[in-house]
CSV table of all heavy atoms in Angstrom, one decimal:
chain,number,residue,atom,x,y,z
A,137,GLY,N,4.3,-37.9,95.6
A,137,GLY,CA,3.5,-37.6,96.7
A,137,GLY,C,4.2,-38.1,98.0
A,137,GLY,O,5.1,-38.9,97.9
A,138,PRO,N,3.7,-37.8,99.2
A,138,PRO,CA,2.5,-36.9,99.4
A,138,PRO,C,2.8,-35.4,99.2
A,138,PRO,O,1.9,-34.7,99.2
A,138,PRO,CB,2.2,-37.2,100.9
A,138,PRO,CG,3.5,-37.6,101.5
A,138,PRO,CD,4.3,-38.3,100.4
A,139,LEU,N,4.1,-35.1,99.0
A,139,LEU,CA,4.3,-33.6,98.8
A,139,LEU,C,4.1,-33.4,97.3
A,139,LEU,O,5.0,-33.5,96.5
A,139,LEU,CB,5.8,-33.3,99.2
A,139,LEU,CG,6.1,-31.9,99.4
A,139,LEU,CD1,5.2,-31.2,100.4
A,139,LEU,CD2,7.6,-31.8,99.9
A,140,THR,N,2.9,-33.1,96.9
A,140,THR,CA,2.5,-32.9,95.5
A,140,THR,C,3.2,-31.6,94.9
A,140,THR,O,3.1,-30.5,95.5
A,140,THR,CB,1.0,-32.8,95.3
A,140,THR,OG1,0.5,-34.0,95.8
A,140,THR,CG2,0.6,-32.6,93.9
A,141,THR,N,4.0,-31.8,93.8
A,141,THR,CA,4.8,-30.7,93.3
A,141,THR,C,4.7,-30.6,91.8
A,141,THR,O,4.8,-31.6,91.1
A,141,THR,CB,6.3,-31.1,93.7
A,141,THR,OG1,6.4,-31.3,95.1
A,141,THR,CG2,7.3,-30.0,93.2
A,142,HIS,N,4.3,-29.4,91.4
A,142,HIS,CA,4.1,-29.1,90.0
A,142,HIS,C,5.1,-28.1,89.5
A,142,HIS,O,4.8,-26.9,89.7
A,142,HIS,CB,2.7,-28.6,89.7
A,142,HIS,CG,1.6,-29.5,90.1
A,142,HIS,ND1,1.2,-30.6,89.4
A,142,HIS,CD2,0.8,-29.4,91.2
A,142,HIS,CE1,0.2,-31.2,90.1
A,142,HIS,NE2,-0.1,-30.5,91.1
A,143,VAL,N,6.3,-28.4,89.0
A,143,VAL,CA,7.2,-27.4,88.6
A,143,VAL,C,6.8,-26.8,87.2
A,143,VAL,O,6.2,-27.5,86.4
A,143,VAL,CB,8.7,-27.9,88.5
A,143,VAL,CG1,9.3,-28.2,89.9
A,143,VAL,CG2,8.8,-29.0,87.5
A,144,SER,N,7.2,-25.6,87.0
A,144,SER,CA,6.9,-25.0,85.7
A,144,SER,C,8.0,-25.4,84.7
A,144,SER,O,9.2,-25.3,85.1
A,144,SER,CB,6.9,-23.4,85.8
A,144,SER,OG,7.0,-22.9,84.5
A,145,THR,N,7.6,-25.9,83.6
A,145,THR,CA,8.5,-26.2,82.5
A,145,THR,C,8.2,-25.4,81.2
A,145,THR,O,8.6,-25.8,80.1
A,145,THR,CB,8.6,-27.7,82.2
A,145,THR,OG1,7.3,-28.2,81.9
A,145,THR,CG2,9.1,-28.5,83.4
A,146,ALA,N,7.5,-24.3,81.4
A,146,ALA,CA,7.2,-23.4,80.2
A,146,ALA,C,8.5,-23.2,79.4
A,146,ALA,O,8.5,-23.3,78.2
A,146,ALA,CB,6.6,-22.1,80.7
A,147,ASP,N,9.5,-22.8,80.1
A,147,ASP,CA,10.9,-22.6,79.5
A,147,ASP,C,11.8,-23.6,80.2
A,147,ASP,O,12.4,-23.3,81.2
A,147,ASP,CB,11.3,-21.2,79.7
A,147,ASP,CG,10.4,-20.2,79.0
A,147,ASP,OD1,10.3,-20.3,77.8
A,147,ASP,OD2,9.8,-19.4,79.7
A,148,PRO,N,11.9,-24.8,79.6
A,148,PRO,CA,12.6,-25.9,80.4
A,148,PRO,C,14.1,-25.7,80.4
A,148,PRO,O,14.8,-26.3,81.3
A,148,PRO,CB,12.2,-27.1,79.6
A,148,PRO,CG,11.9,-26.7,78.2
A,148,PRO,CD,11.3,-25.3,78.4
A,149,TYR,N,14.7,-25.0,79.5
A,149,TYR,CA,16.1,-24.8,79.4
A,149,TYR,C,16.6,-23.5,80.1
A,149,TYR,O,15.9,-22.5,79.8
A,149,TYR,CB,16.6,-24.9,78.0
A,149,TYR,CG,16.3,-26.3,77.4
A,149,TYR,CD1,15.2,-26.5,76.6
A,149,TYR,CD2,17.1,-27.4,77.7
A,149,TYR,CE1,14.9,-27.7,76.0
A,149,TYR,CE2,16.9,-28.6,77.2
A,149,TYR,CZ,15.8,-28.8,76.4
A,149,TYR,OH,15.5,-30.1,75.9
A,150,CYS,N,17.6,-23.5,80.8
A,150,CYS,CA,18.0,-22.3,81.6
A,150,CYS,C,18.4,-21.1,80.7
A,150,CYS,O,19.3,-21.2,79.9
A,150,CYS,CB,19.2,-22.6,82.5
A,150,CYS,SG,19.9,-21.2,83.3
A,151,PRO,N,17.7,-20.0,80.8
A,151,PRO,CA,17.9,-18.9,80.0
A,151,PRO,C,19.3,-18.3,80.1
A,151,PRO,O,20.0,-17.8,79.2
A,151,PRO,CB,16.9,-17.8,80.4
A,151,PRO,CG,16.3,-18.3,81.7
A,151,PRO,CD,16.6,-19.8,81.8
A,152,GLU,N,19.8,-18.3,81.4
A,152,GLU,CA,21.2,-17.8,81.6
A,152,GLU,C,22.3,-18.6,80.9
A,152,GLU,O,23.2,-18.1,80.3
A,152,GLU,CB,21.4,-17.7,83.1
A,152,GLU,CG,22.8,-17.0,83.5
A,152,GLU,CD,23.0,-16.9,84.9
A,152,GLU,OE1,23.1,-18.0,85.6
A,152,GLU,OE2,23.1,-15.8,85.4
A,153,MET,N,22.1,-19.9,81.1
A,153,MET,CA,23.1,-20.8,80.4
A,153,MET,C,23.0,-20.7,78.9
A,153,MET,O,24.0,-20.8,78.2
A,153,MET,CB,22.9,-22.3,80.9
A,153,MET,CG,23.3,-22.5,82.3
A,153,MET,SD,23.3,-24.3,82.8
A,153,MET,CE,24.8,-24.9,82.1
A,154,ARG,N,21.8,-20.6,78.4
A,154,ARG,CA,21.7,-20.5,76.9
A,154,ARG,C,22.4,-19.2,76.4
A,154,ARG,O,23.1,-19.3,75.4
A,154,ARG,CB,20.2,-20.4,76.5
A,154,ARG,CG,19.5,-21.8,76.6
A,154,ARG,CD,18.0,-21.7,76.5
A,154,ARG,NE,17.5,-20.8,75.5
A,154,ARG,CZ,17.6,-20.9,74.1
A,154,ARG,NH1,18.2,-22.0,73.6
A,154,ARG,NH2,17.2,-20.0,73.3
A,155,LYS,N,22.3,-18.1,77.1
A,155,LYS,CA,22.9,-16.9,76.8
A,155,LYS,C,24.4,-17.1,76.8
A,155,LYS,O,25.2,-16.6,75.9
A,155,LYS,CB,22.5,-15.8,77.7
A,155,LYS,CG,22.6,-14.4,77.2
A,155,LYS,CD,21.8,-13.4,78.0
A,155,LYS,CE,22.4,-12.0,77.9
A,155,LYS,NZ,23.4,-11.7,78.9
A,156,VAL,N,24.9,-17.7,77.9
A,156,VAL,CA,26.4,-17.9,78.0
A,156,VAL,C,26.9,-18.8,76.8
A,156,VAL,O,27.9,-18.6,76.3
A,156,VAL,CB,26.7,-18.6,79.4
A,156,VAL,CG1,28.1,-19.1,79.4
A,156,VAL,CG2,26.5,-17.6,80.5
A,157,ALA,N,26.0,-19.8,76.5
A,157,ALA,CA,26.4,-20.7,75.4
A,157,ALA,C,26.6,-20.0,74.1
A,157,ALA,O,27.5,-20.2,73.3
A,157,ALA,CB,25.4,-21.8,75.3
A,158,PHE,N,25.6,-19.0,73.8
A,158,PHE,CA,25.7,-18.3,72.5
A,158,PHE,C,27.0,-17.4,72.5
A,158,PHE,O,27.7,-17.4,71.5
A,158,PHE,CB,24.6,-17.3,72.4
A,158,PHE,CG,23.2,-17.9,72.5
A,158,PHE,CD1,22.1,-17.2,72.9
A,158,PHE,CD2,23.0,-19.2,72.1
A,158,PHE,CE1,20.8,-17.8,72.9
A,158,PHE,CE2,21.8,-19.8,72.2
A,158,PHE,CZ,20.7,-19.1,72.6
A,159,GLU,N,27.3,-16.8,73.7
A,159,GLU,CA,28.5,-16.0,73.7
A,159,GLU,C,29.8,-16.8,73.6
A,159,GLU,O,30.7,-16.5,72.9
A,159,GLU,CB,28.6,-15.2,75.1
A,159,GLU,CG,27.5,-14.1,75.2
A,159,GLU,CD,27.3,-13.7,76.7
A,159,GLU,OE1,28.1,-14.2,77.6
A,159,GLU,OE2,26.3,-13.0,76.9
A,160,ALA,N,29.8,-18.0,74.3
A,160,ALA,CA,30.9,-18.9,74.2
A,160,ALA,C,31.1,-19.4,72.8
A,160,ALA,O,32.3,-19.5,72.3
A,160,ALA,CB,30.7,-20.1,75.2
A,161,ALA,N,30.1,-19.7,72.1
A,161,ALA,CA,30.2,-20.3,70.7
A,161,ALA,C,30.8,-19.2,69.8
A,161,ALA,O,31.7,-19.5,69.0
A,161,ALA,CB,28.8,-20.7,70.2
A,162,GLU,N,30.4,-18.0,70.0
A,162,GLU,CA,30.9,-16.9,69.2
A,162,GLU,C,32.4,-16.7,69.4
A,162,GLU,O,33.2,-16.6,68.5
A,162,GLU,CB,30.2,-15.6,69.5
A,162,GLU,CG,30.2,-14.7,68.3
A,162,GLU,CD,29.2,-13.5,68.5
A,162,GLU,OE1,28.1,-13.8,68.9
A,162,GLU,OE2,29.7,-12.4,68.3
A,163,ARG,N,32.8,-16.8,70.7
A,163,ARG,CA,34.2,-16.6,71.1
A,163,ARG,C,35.1,-17.7,70.5
A,163,ARG,O,36.2,-17.4,70.1
A,163,ARG,CB,34.4,-16.5,72.6
A,163,ARG,CG,34.6,-15.1,73.1
A,163,ARG,CD,35.1,-15.1,74.5
A,163,ARG,NE,34.2,-15.7,75.4
A,163,ARG,CZ,33.2,-14.9,76.0
A,163,ARG,NH1,33.2,-13.6,75.8
A,163,ARG,NH2,32.4,-15.5,76.8
A,164,VAL,N,34.6,-18.9,70.5
A,164,VAL,CA,35.4,-20.0,69.9
A,164,VAL,C,35.2,-20.3,68.4
A,164,VAL,O,35.7,-21.2,67.8
A,164,VAL,CB,35.3,-21.4,70.7
A,164,VAL,CG1,35.9,-21.2,72.1
A,164,VAL,CG2,33.9,-21.8,70.8
A,165,GLY,N,34.3,-19.4,67.8
A,165,GLY,CA,34.1,-19.5,66.4
A,165,GLY,C,33.3,-20.7,65.9
A,165,GLY,O,33.5,-21.3,64.9
A,166,ILE,N,32.4,-21.1,66.8
A,166,ILE,CA,31.5,-22.3,66.4
A,166,ILE,C,30.1,-21.7,66.1
A,166,ILE,O,29.5,-21.0,67.0
A,166,ILE,CB,31.5,-23.3,67.5
A,166,ILE,CG1,32.8,-24.0,67.7
A,166,ILE,CG2,30.4,-24.4,67.3
A,166,ILE,CD1,33.0,-24.9,68.9
A,167,GLU,N,29.6,-22.0,65.0
A,167,GLU,CA,28.2,-21.6,64.6
A,167,GLU,C,27.2,-22.4,65.3
A,167,GLU,O,27.3,-23.7,65.2
A,167,GLU,CB,28.1,-21.6,63.1
A,167,GLU,CG,27.0,-20.6,62.6
A,167,GLU,CD,26.8,-20.8,61.1
A,167,GLU,OE1,27.8,-20.8,60.4
A,167,GLU,OE2,25.7,-20.9,60.7
A,168,VAL,N,26.2,-21.8,66.0
A,168,VAL,CA,25.2,-22.6,66.6
A,168,VAL,C,23.8,-22.0,66.2
A,168,VAL,O,23.7,-20.8,66.0
A,168,VAL,CB,25.2,-22.6,68.2
A,168,VAL,CG1,26.5,-23.3,68.6
A,168,VAL,CG2,25.1,-21.2,68.8
A,169,ARG,N,22.8,-22.8,66.1
A,169,ARG,CA,21.4,-22.4,66.0
A,169,ARG,C,20.9,-22.1,67.4
A,169,ARG,O,21.0,-23.0,68.3
A,169,ARG,CB,20.5,-23.5,65.4
A,169,ARG,CG,20.5,-23.4,63.8
A,169,ARG,CD,19.6,-24.6,63.4
A,169,ARG,NE,18.2,-24.1,63.2
A,169,ARG,CZ,17.7,-23.7,62.1
A,169,ARG,NH1,18.4,-23.6,61.0
A,169,ARG,NH2,16.4,-23.3,62.0
A,170,LYS,N,20.3,-20.9,67.6
A,170,LYS,CA,20.0,-20.5,68.9
A,170,LYS,C,18.6,-21.0,69.4
A,170,LYS,O,18.2,-20.7,70.5
A,170,LYS,CB,20.1,-19.0,69.0
A,170,LYS,CG,21.5,-18.5,68.8
A,170,LYS,CD,21.7,-17.1,68.9
A,170,LYS,CE,23.1,-16.6,68.8
A,170,LYS,NZ,23.3,-15.2,68.7
A,171,LYS,N,17.9,-21.6,68.5
A,171,LYS,CA,16.5,-22.1,68.9
A,171,LYS,C,16.3,-23.4,68.3
A,171,LYS,O,16.8,-23.7,67.2
A,171,LYS,CB,15.5,-21.1,68.4
A,171,LYS,CG,15.1,-20.0,69.3
A,171,LYS,CD,14.3,-19.0,68.6
A,171,LYS,CE,12.8,-19.2,68.8
A,171,LYS,NZ,12.3,-19.0,70.2
A,172,GLY,N,15.5,-24.2,69.0
A,172,GLY,CA,15.1,-25.5,68.4
A,172,GLY,C,14.2,-26.3,69.3
A,172,GLY,O,14.3,-26.2,70.5
A,173,THR,N,13.2,-26.9,68.7
A,173,THR,CA,12.3,-27.8,69.5
A,173,THR,C,12.6,-29.2,69.2
A,173,THR,O,12.6,-29.6,68.0
A,173,THR,CB,10.8,-27.5,69.1
A,173,THR,OG1,10.5,-26.1,69.5
A,173,THR,CG2,9.9,-28.4,69.9
A,174,VAL,N,12.9,-30.0,70.2
A,174,VAL,CA,13.3,-31.4,70.0
A,174,VAL,C,12.1,-32.2,70.5
A,174,VAL,O,11.6,-32.0,71.6
A,174,VAL,CB,14.6,-31.7,70.8
A,174,VAL,CG1,14.6,-31.4,72.3
A,174,VAL,CG2,15.0,-33.1,70.5
A,175,VAL,N,11.7,-33.1,69.6
A,175,VAL,CA,10.7,-34.1,70.1
A,175,VAL,C,11.5,-35.3,70.6
A,175,VAL,O,12.4,-35.8,69.9
A,175,VAL,CB,9.7,-34.4,69.0
A,175,VAL,CG1,10.4,-34.9,67.7
A,175,VAL,CG2,8.7,-35.5,69.4
A,176,VAL,N,11.1,-35.8,71.8
A,176,VAL,CA,11.8,-36.9,72.4
A,176,VAL,C,10.9,-38.1,72.3
A,176,VAL,O,9.8,-38.2,72.8
A,176,VAL,CB,12.1,-36.6,73.9
A,176,VAL,CG1,13.1,-37.6,74.4
A,176,VAL,CG2,12.7,-35.2,74.0
A,177,ILE,N,11.4,-39.1,71.6
A,177,ILE,CA,10.7,-40.4,71.4
A,177,ILE,C,11.2,-41.5,72.4
A,177,ILE,O,12.3,-41.4,72.9
A,177,ILE,CB,10.7,-40.9,70.0
A,177,ILE,CG1,12.2,-41.1,69.5
A,177,ILE,CG2,10.0,-39.9,69.1
A,177,ILE,CD1,12.2,-41.9,68.2
A,178,GLU,N,10.4,-42.5,72.6
A,178,GLU,CA,10.7,-43.5,73.5
A,178,GLU,C,11.9,-44.4,73.1
A,178,GLU,O,12.8,-44.7,73.9
A,178,GLU,CB,9.5,-44.4,73.8
A,178,GLU,CG,9.7,-45.6,74.7
A,178,GLU,CD,9.9,-45.1,76.2
A,178,GLU,OE1,9.7,-43.9,76.5
A,178,GLU,OE2,10.3,-45.9,77.0
A,179,GLY,N,12.0,-44.7,71.8
A,179,GLY,CA,13.1,-45.6,71.3
A,179,GLY,C,12.9,-47.0,71.9
A,179,GLY,O,11.9,-47.2,72.5
A,180,PRO,N,13.9,-47.9,71.8
A,180,PRO,CA,15.1,-47.6,71.2
A,180,PRO,C,15.1,-47.6,69.6
A,180,PRO,O,16.0,-47.3,69.0
A,180,PRO,CB,16.0,-48.8,71.7
A,180,PRO,CG,15.1,-49.9,72.0
A,180,PRO,CD,13.8,-49.2,72.4
A,181,ARG,N,13.9,-48.0,69.1
A,181,ARG,CA,13.9,-48.0,67.6
A,181,ARG,C,13.8,-46.6,67.1
A,181,ARG,O,13.4,-45.6,67.8
A,181,ARG,CB,12.6,-48.8,67.1
A,181,ARG,CG,11.3,-48.1,67.5
A,181,ARG,CD,10.1,-48.8,66.8
A,181,ARG,NE,8.9,-48.1,67.2
A,181,ARG,CZ,8.4,-47.0,66.6
A,181,ARG,NH1,9.0,-46.5,65.6
A,181,ARG,NH2,7.3,-46.5,67.1
A,182,PHE,N,14.2,-46.4,65.8
A,182,PHE,CA,14.1,-45.1,65.2
A,182,PHE,C,12.6,-45.0,64.7
A,182,PHE,O,11.9,-45.9,64.7
A,182,PHE,CB,15.1,-44.9,64.0
A,182,PHE,CG,16.5,-44.8,64.5
A,182,PHE,CD1,17.4,-45.8,64.2
A,182,PHE,CD2,16.9,-43.8,65.3
A,182,PHE,CE1,18.8,-45.7,64.6
A,182,PHE,CE2,18.2,-43.7,65.7
A,182,PHE,CZ,19.2,-44.7,65.4
A,183,SER,N,12.3,-43.8,64.2
A,183,SER,CA,10.9,-43.5,63.7
A,183,SER,C,10.5,-44.2,62.4
A,183,SER,O,11.4,-44.5,61.6
A,183,SER,CB,10.7,-42.0,63.4
A,183,SER,OG,11.3,-41.2,64.4
A,184,THR,N,9.2,-44.4,62.3
A,184,THR,CA,8.7,-44.8,60.9
A,184,THR,C,8.6,-43.5,60.1
A,184,THR,O,8.7,-42.4,60.6
A,184,THR,CB,7.3,-45.4,61.0
A,184,THR,OG1,6.4,-44.3,61.5
A,184,THR,CG2,7.2,-46.5,62.0
A,185,ARG,N,8.5,-43.7,58.8
A,185,ARG,CA,8.3,-42.5,57.9
A,185,ARG,C,7.1,-41.7,58.3
A,185,ARG,O,7.1,-40.5,58.3
A,185,ARG,CB,8.2,-43.0,56.4
A,185,ARG,CG,9.5,-43.5,55.9
A,185,ARG,CD,9.4,-43.9,54.4
A,185,ARG,NE,10.5,-44.7,54.0
A,185,ARG,CZ,11.8,-44.3,53.7
A,185,ARG,NH1,12.0,-43.0,53.7
A,185,ARG,NH2,12.7,-45.1,53.4
A,186,ALA,N,6.0,-42.4,58.6
A,186,ALA,CA,4.8,-41.7,59.0
A,186,ALA,C,4.9,-40.9,60.3
A,186,ALA,O,4.5,-39.7,60.4
A,186,ALA,CB,3.6,-42.7,59.2
A,187,GLU,N,5.6,-41.5,61.3
A,187,GLU,CA,5.9,-40.7,62.5
A,187,GLU,C,6.7,-39.5,62.2
A,187,GLU,O,6.4,-38.4,62.7
A,187,GLU,CB,6.6,-41.6,63.5
A,187,GLU,CG,5.7,-42.7,64.1
A,187,GLU,CD,6.4,-43.8,64.9
A,187,GLU,OE1,7.6,-44.0,64.6
A,187,GLU,OE2,5.8,-44.5,65.7
A,188,SER,N,7.8,-39.7,61.5
A,188,SER,CA,8.7,-38.6,61.2
A,188,SER,C,8.0,-37.5,60.4
A,188,SER,O,8.2,-36.3,60.7
A,188,SER,CB,9.9,-39.1,60.4
A,188,SER,OG,10.9,-38.2,60.4
A,189,LYS,N,7.1,-37.8,59.5
A,189,LYS,CA,6.3,-36.9,58.7
A,189,LYS,C,5.4,-36.1,59.7
A,189,LYS,O,5.3,-34.9,59.5
A,189,LYS,CB,5.5,-37.6,57.7
A,189,LYS,CG,5.0,-36.7,56.6
A,189,LYS,CD,4.4,-37.6,55.5
A,189,LYS,CE,3.8,-36.8,54.4
A,189,LYS,NZ,3.2,-37.6,53.3
A,190,PHE,N,4.8,-36.8,60.6
A,190,PHE,CA,3.9,-36.1,61.6
A,190,PHE,C,4.7,-35.1,62.4
A,190,PHE,O,4.3,-34.0,62.6
A,190,PHE,CB,3.3,-37.2,62.5
A,190,PHE,CG,2.6,-36.6,63.7
A,190,PHE,CD1,1.4,-35.8,63.5
A,190,PHE,CD2,3.1,-36.7,65.0
A,190,PHE,CE1,0.8,-35.2,64.6
A,190,PHE,CE2,2.5,-36.1,66.1
A,190,PHE,CZ,1.4,-35.4,65.9
A,191,PHE,N,5.9,-35.5,62.9
A,191,PHE,CA,6.7,-34.6,63.7
A,191,PHE,C,7.1,-33.4,63.0
A,191,PHE,O,7.0,-32.3,63.5
A,191,PHE,CB,8.0,-35.4,64.3
A,191,PHE,CG,7.7,-36.5,65.2
A,191,PHE,CD1,8.5,-37.7,65.1
A,191,PHE,CD2,6.6,-36.5,66.1
A,191,PHE,CE1,8.3,-38.8,65.9
A,191,PHE,CE2,6.4,-37.6,66.9
A,191,PHE,CZ,7.2,-38.8,66.8
A,192,SER,N,7.6,-33.6,61.7
A,192,SER,CA,8.0,-32.4,61.0
A,192,SER,C,6.8,-31.5,60.6
A,192,SER,O,6.9,-30.3,60.6
A,192,SER,CB,8.8,-32.7,59.7
A,192,SER,OG,8.8,-34.0,59.4
A,193,SER,N,5.6,-32.1,60.4
A,193,SER,CA,4.4,-31.3,60.1
A,193,SER,C,4.0,-30.4,61.2
A,193,SER,O,3.3,-29.4,61.0
A,193,SER,CB,3.3,-32.2,59.6
A,193,SER,OG,2.7,-32.9,60.8
Side-chain angles (χ1 to χ4, degrees):
L139 197 55
T140 300
T141 304
H142 304 281
V143 291
S144 168
T145 56
D147 296 300
Y149 297 99
C150 172
E152 184 179 64
M153 287 187 82
R154 283 170 41 73
K155 201 165 156 269
V156 167
F158 303 155
E159 290 161 10
E162 207 170 311
R163 256 196 296 271
V164 292
I166 293 172
E167 205 182 309
V168 296
R169 271 180 92 94
K170 295 180 177 175
K171 272 170 91 71
T173 297
V174 58
V175 55
V176 190
I177 59 167
E178 180 69 10
R181 67 171 178 85
F182 292 117
S183 316
T184 64
R185 289 184 195 279
E187 286 166 339
S188 193
K189 199 172 176 179
F190 168 70
F191 298 143
S192 12
S193 74

